[in-house]
Amino acid sequence: MQKREPTGQDERLEGSIERVTFHSEESGFTVLKVTVKGEKFPVSVIGNAPHLVAGEWIEARGRWTMNREHGRQFQADDLRAHPPDSLDGIEKFLGSGLVKGIGPVYAAKLVKAFGADIFDIIDRESARLEEVEGIGKVRRLRIKDSWKEVKEIRAIMTFLLAHGAGASRAYRIYKIYGDQAIAKVSADPYCLARDIRGIGFKSADVIAEKLGIAKDSPLRAKAGVEYMLRELTGQGHCGVPREELAAGTSELLGIGRPLVDDAVEAGLKEKLLVEEQVPGAEVLIYPPALRDAEVHLASLLKRLMQGAHPCPAIDMAKAIPWVEQQIKLTLADTQKQALEQCTRDKVFAITGGPGVGKTTLVHAIIKILVAKKLKVVLCAPTGRAAKRMTEATGLDAKTIHRLLAYDPGSGGFKHTDKRPLEGDVFIVDESSMIDLLLAYHLVRAIPPSASLILVGDVDQLPSVGPGTVFKDLLESRCIPTVVLTTIFRQAEQSAIIRAAHEIRHGNLPVQEKDNPHTDLFMIHMEEPEDIVKRVVQMVKRSVPEKTGLNAVEDIQVLTPMQRGLLGARNLNVELQKAMNPRSESIDRFGYSYRVFDKVMQIENNYDKEVFNGDIGIIARLDVINGEVQVRYGDRTVLYDENELDELVPAYAITIHKSQGSEYPCVIIPLHTQHYVMLQRDLIYTALTRGKQLVILVGPVKALAMAVKTHHAHARRTTLCERIRQGLPALA
């Protein structure tokens, strides 16, 4: 191609990519340096494309432009890549790390052995790769599988970008739909919003419009109803009134109510939705899975309450002094009452705030049950809560997910009513954070002859997932319950615990400015920018220097929201910058992942046995092969770079994500810009995550707003009413 001055007219360009200057995974916007025949130096080409690598051959259609800052550029309206055909280009392409199992060294070996036929060899005769020294069966299969993935994922990326959608979730689409991805999305683009985490309805709707699906299409209306119901259940509701569902869908889609009403009726007819009125509750529309979970959980709990308790009769007059001697503590009257009841009632609940002796009571219960030769099974919703349970009791505690054991073959848990767990008494800690579906699966797997003890703090935030199971059980007044209220002397010395109880009762805690030994500090600051700087300074320097705590592993920043200047996302950027300055990294999905970064898993991954909320430290990066190793406690988990959308930085996390965890030090930035989230249970939960030190930073007005706002967003559930059916209320 001859060198030309910018003309603004449509032209074509071909050449080999020298380097990729910039690429956005989400939009596909790309800046390339391309070697073009007839051009003395590589030219700048800009356009939208899947992730490209050096060595590839591109064909571009567009026009030459002159940019004031960057000079002469080729603006591509259509940009297509092809595998290179020159040996130099092939070697660059294969050595880029795009194909797993091949780095620069093996790229040179493969090109030397097979020349320009290497791509056909990988496709059709991959066994021949083992002719190359250092390539055995394992590496050969990895190369073959990765090459297939690369081609499929690029095709999906190209399809998404051509239809106006971001391409960053192409790998996840491929993993779920395989080589049928484009056909499936073309037939029903709304499947992306249903099945792919990270792709919302609006993105799917953009593709649908490009594919010619009309705004008033029944397919679009039906998909909109399903999406709106998922959004509402994502806020914790198990069901929603028809009017709220229909009105929300109509506003979302910009279509009239008759179309939406028809879509609701179609969903009910096809059993994609269930409408029901439970006595004592309003008429609600449910996703079938949540409705069934409520029905079956209520039924299973009623069944579990029946029959003889597995614990033989106990003389409490002798048992209580014995157990007090064993644990070297004196029990309060309510603890003694609970001790007696939990050996008599097959389903039993224990609740209370911090410092009231829940852990002591559980320890005492276990001592007596074990002495009676009963098999006690301990579990909790999170790994950190299970670890605390183990440390407090001396018995092994598991997460509920690990206890139930995932079965990859069936896609469900191994332990169900058909293959129940083994045990006489099941004790579940942090019960307030168990959502409806997990509660159903757990209770379903408990044998009918066993007993169940649920321990939790009903005033904490409800579960991240749908439902308010623990609260519903207590409010039903059908489940025997003990509420612990006495704050023990040692706990009462903690300003954290005193403040938590003040907040619990709707009172603003008093700052103890004259107490040099206080474990709670409130730092008044008005400007969000100043709060960010102060939080970073405390995490990096002042708190570790004064307390000896490890800045990464012992200090946790908890914030009400993800977005905004004081949201988890921005705080993580600032904290990473200060705590782990730029070094070698893998940049994916808007984050930089570096060795020693603190990260959090944000979805359940049963294959890797890591679950939503698990926090780990990046132990190793392999930039060439695109792999990240994360250490969770005493085990290490390997992630492909395409799976990194399951991980987010965790120097700062939302308060919701901190449920079930405790940290030596907690720093909580609060501001009135968080007003939507400022609620009593939120600040109460955040405060009670700190074991040794809690620091609140922000205007006192923000704390006051949170303390005054109680049950602002009550969840719609009907588990309480379902439990009440056929059971007498307790006095």
Side-chain angles (χ1 to χ4, degrees), residues 211-222:
L211 289 169
I213 295 174
K215 186 177 180 181
D216 59 355
S217 161
L219 175 67
R220 182 171 183 263
K222 183 177 157 188

Side-chain angles (χ1 to χ4, degrees), residues 157-173:
M157 283 182 169
T158 301
F159 173 84
L160 293 173
L161 291 171
H163 290 87
S168 62
R169 294 295 185 272
Y171 178 80
R172 190 172 284 269
I173 295 169

Side-chain angles (χ1 to χ4, degrees), residues 310 374-377 420-426 446-447 449-451:
L374 295 177
K375 181 176 181 180
V376 180
V377 179
L421 295 161
E422 293 182 4
D424 299 307
V425 180
F426 291 79
I446 293 175
S449 59
S451 73

Side-chain angles (χ1 to χ4, degrees), residues 304-456:
L304 198 58
M305 292 171 72
Q306 298 169 3
H309 196 288
C311 185
I314 294 176
D315 184 347
M316 281 295 166
K318 295 179 180 178
I320 289 174
W322 175 84
V323 81
E324 287 179 329
Q325 187 178 26
Q326 291 288 309
I327 64 174
K328 296 180 175 57
L329 290 169
T330 301
L331 298 175
D333 289 341
T334 48
Q335 288 176 312
K336 294 174 184 177
Q337 176 195 341
L339 198 57
E340 183 175 358
Q341 278 190 263
C342 73
T343 58
R344 187 182 68 227
D345 294 312
K346 286 192 68 199
V347 178
F348 186 66
I350 300 168
T351 189
V356 297
K358 296 191 297 294
T359 301
T360 298
L361 175 56
V362 169
H363 194 192
I365 291 169
I366 291 169
K367 285 286 185 186
I368 288 179
L369 295 175
V370 170
K372 289 297 180 180
K373 310 297 184 189
L374 295 177
K375 181 176 181 180
V376 180
V377 179
L378 308 182
C379 62
T382 68
R384 282 176 176 261
K387 184 180 178 183
R388 288 205 326 271
M389 215 176 179
T390 297
E391 291 168 348
T393 65
L395 290 182
D396 182 44
K398 294 182 178 179
T399 64
I400 296 172
H401 289 96
R402 287 197 175 95
L403 180 67
L404 295 174
Y406 180 68
D407 178 14
S410 67
F413 292 115
K414 289 180 182 176
H415 293 290
T416 65
D417 50 346
K418 300 290 189 291
R419 186 183 171 185
L421 295 161
E422 293 182 4
D424 299 307
V425 180
F426 291 79
I427 302 178
V428 187
D429 200 8
E430 295 288 355
S431 295
S432 63
M433 62 180 298
I434 303 175
D435 64 38
L436 175 63
L437 289 171
L438 188 57
Y440 160 63
H441 286 297
L442 174 62
V443 176
R444 181 188 180 197
I446 293 175
S449 59
S451 73
L452 171 64
I453 300 172
L454 298 163
V455 185

Side-chain angles (χ1 to χ4, degrees), residues 100 144-155 171 174-175 640 642:
K100 302 294 185 286
K144 182 181 179 180
D145 291 343
S146 179
W147 175 240
K148 181 185 177 188
E149 277 188 4
V150 165
K151 292 194 297 182
E152 292 288 348
I153 291 168
R154 285 206 162 182
Y171 178 80
Y174 171 71
K175 280 296 182 186
D640 182 274
N642 292 308

Side-chain angles (χ1 to χ4, degrees), residues 100 171 608 625-628 638-644:
K100 302 294 185 286
Y171 178 80
K608 296 183 188 297
N625 289 308
E627 293 177 343
V628 175
L638 181 67
Y639 293 81
D640 182 274
E641 64 182 349
N642 292 308
E643 298 173 314
L644 291 179

Side-chain angles (χ1 to χ4, degrees), residues 570-581:
N570 183 61
L571 286 170
N572 272 311
V573 170
E574 296 301 321
L575 285 163
Q576 186 190 49
K577 197 187 302 178
M579 305 291 296
N580 198 7

Side-chain angles (χ1 to χ4, degrees), residues 241-257:
R242 181 188 282 236
E243 174 60 30
E244 187 175 321
L245 176 63
T249 306
S250 178
E251 183 179 352
L252 171 75
L253 301 183
I255 59 175
R257 279 292 297 273

